Amino acid sequence: MDVSGLLDLPGNNRCADCGALDPKWTSINLGVFICILCSGVHRSIGVHITQIRSVGMDKFTKEQEDFLRSKGNLESNKEYERYLDPKQKLTEHDSIEYREKFIRSKYEDKLFTNEKGNEVDLRGSSSAGKQLKNNASTEYTGILVVNLLEGNHLVVRDLVSSDPYCSIFLFSFSIHFLLAPKFIQV
């Protein structure tokens, strides 16, 4: 089914997160229409929070269309931005770092769904904002040992004559690194 007609409904002609005109993407489980920049952040959050589809390129089930029609940007933002301080609202001109911080706070942490959302300053001028920033991610350093049990589309010549690399994908993270020749067994 085609959901592009839903963009004509009130509030759906702008991105639910940053307000950019003419959104081309939708989150089928949140019921919002979003711009390309915000859709990238949504994709990095993961499908357990938000599932992104192209309004123009993807097909939708009747149930998905009905949900998008019943929710939409206005209804969704009544829930997810209920206690948002207007000064914290994401704009289309904000940095990608602030865009990610805002969208994660909005959907993953559901920060603006309760009264404490008014107390948080995501823009960094209060200790609450700094605390949120420090708790947003955890960095690990060390050695990761990976035993490659199976490989697809491997050609022996490629392992010897080229720069072989390994890619590891874990949720929204990916790591690419060259393999040291001493570890390659042909």
Side-chain angles (χ1 to χ4, degrees):
M1 302 199 101
D2 181 23
V3 298
S4 60
L6 299 179
L7 293 170
D8 296 329
L9 296 175
N12 292 348
N13 65 331
R14 290 188 169 270
C15 176
D17 295 329
C18 74
L21 279 171
D22 201 23
K24 302 286 188 207
W25 299 87
T26 184
S27 172
I28 59 171
N29 60 316
L30 296 174
V32 295
F33 294 89
I34 54 179
C35 69
I36 185 75
L37 293 175
C38 290
S39 74
V41 175
H42 277 256
R43 285 186 186 277
S44 74
I45 292 174
V47 296
H48 63 291
I49 303 289
T50 177
Q51 299 170 12
I52 303 304
R53 301 288 186 275
S54 167
V55 170
M57 294 183 287
D58 289 320
K59 299 293 182 207
F60 298 83
T61 66
K62 175 79 169 116
E63 292 79 19
Q64 290 168 337
E65 180 185 5
D66 290 344
F67 179 70
L68 288 168
R69 184 181 309 282
S70 70
K71 205 69 160 151
N73 291 357
L74 294 180
E75 286 301 313
S76 181
N77 280 345
K78 282 181 189 175
E79 175 186 351
Y80 286 100
E81 294 183 356
R82 182 173 183 186
Y83 293 100
L84 173 66
D85 180 346
K87 293 181 284 192
Q88 301 300 314
K89 177 69 175 158
L90 178 68
T91 71
E92 60 186 303
H93 305 293
D94 281 317
S95 69
I96 192 67
E97 292 82 11
Y98 187 75
R99 188 177 303 266
E100 182 169 358
K101 187 188 304 184
F102 178 85
I103 292 172
R104 284 186 178 275
S105 297
K106 181 177 176 179
Y107 298 110
E108 193 173 37
D109 302 331
K110 298 181 182 175
L111 193 62
F112 312 118
T113 60
N114 62 56
E115 293 179 5
K116 291 186 179 185
N118 278 327
E119 301 170 10
V120 175
D121 183 0
L122 293 178
R123 298 208 181 263
S125 61
S126 75
S127 60
K130 291 176 183 157
Q131 181 180 5
L132 178 69
K133 180 179 179 184
N134 291 337
N135 290 335
S137 65
T138 304
E139 181 178 325
Y140 296 97
T141 57
I143 297 174
L144 173 66
V145 177
V146 177
N147 290 324
L148 181 63
L149 300 178
E150 183 178 331
N152 294 321
H153 308 293
L154 297 176
V155 178
V156 173
R157 178 180 47 103
D158 289 341
L159 291 174
V160 177
S161 64
S162 67
D163 294 327
Y165 65 92
C166 180
S167 298
I168 299 174
F169 300 94
L170 181 62
F171 304 109
S172 63
F173 302 100
S174 63
I175 303 168
H176 307 282
F177 52 90
L178 291 175
L179 297 175
K182 66 181 179 181
F183 297 114
I184 299 172
Q185 297 176 355
V186 181

